[in-house]
Amino acid sequence: QLQASGGGLVQSGGSLRLSCAASVDSGRIVRFDAWAWYRQPPGKQRELVASITSSGSTNYADSAKGRFTISRDSAKNTVYLQMNSLKPADTAVYYCHLDKWVTIDSMGTPVASAGSWGQGTLVTVSS
């Protein structure tokens, strides 16, 4: 239900913009708690990179502060992660997550989901 894209190979100091779109039958997410981006570097555990709540409050890992920006487009059911000044240490598979969200199905019935993950998109930063 979540489709992430935008990963790729970039040189150190470069930029990438990740996108994650939620596929919703009715086209509407009527409520959610937060979008988030996580990443999992090779051989390491998954870690939170950035999050944004339904009210627009943002939170960043120390490693992302000042370089990454999370944003959302409610009309498109999409979250973005703009990544600037990339470093080799940013190399990882990036996953989007949507927490506690509610959509309206084709019959007009609210459908709640505890949380969903995107499939991951690989970001490789070369030195």
Side-chain angles (χ1 to χ4, degrees), residues 54 66 70 118:
S54 58
I70 188 170

Side-chain angles (χ1 to χ4, degrees), residues 1-2 29 31-36 38 96-103 110-117:
Q1 290 175 306
L2 301 186
I29 295 175
R31 181 185 176 280
F32 69 96
D33 277 12
W35 282 99
Y38 289 76
C96 56
H97 183 264
L98 181 57
D99 191 37
K100 298 183 180 67
W101 53 303
V102 179
T103 64
V111 178
S113 176
S116 299
W117 289 95

Side-chain angles (χ1 to χ4, degrees), residues 39-53:
R39 69 185 182 187
Q40 186 164 14
K44 297 184 179 181
Q45 292 187 332
R46 193 173 298 188
E47 61 186 14
L48 177 67
V49 177
S51 64
I52 183 167
T53 68

Side-chain angles (χ1 to χ4, degrees), residues 49-127:
V49 177
S51 64
I52 183 167
T53 68
S54 58
S55 62
S57 296
T58 58
N59 180 56
Y60 296 92
D62 287 344
S63 59
K65 288 178 181 177
R67 300 188 300 127
F68 294 2
T69 302
I70 188 170
S71 61
R72 59 180 171 84
D73 185 331
S74 296
K76 296 181 179 180
N77 298 326
T78 300
V79 67
Y80 304 97
L81 185 67
Q82 177 66 44
M83 304 186 294
N84 299 326
S85 303
L86 283 163
K87 307 173 182 179
D90 296 317
T91 295
V93 177
Y94 284 71
Y95 299 90
C96 56
H97 183 264
L98 181 57
D99 191 37
K100 298 183 180 67
W101 53 303
V102 179
T103 64
I104 305 296
D105 69 13
S106 59
M107 299 298 293
T109 302
V111 178
S113 176
S116 299
W117 289 95
Q119 86 284 9
T121 184
L122 177 63
V123 172
T124 303
V125 184
S126 63
S127 57

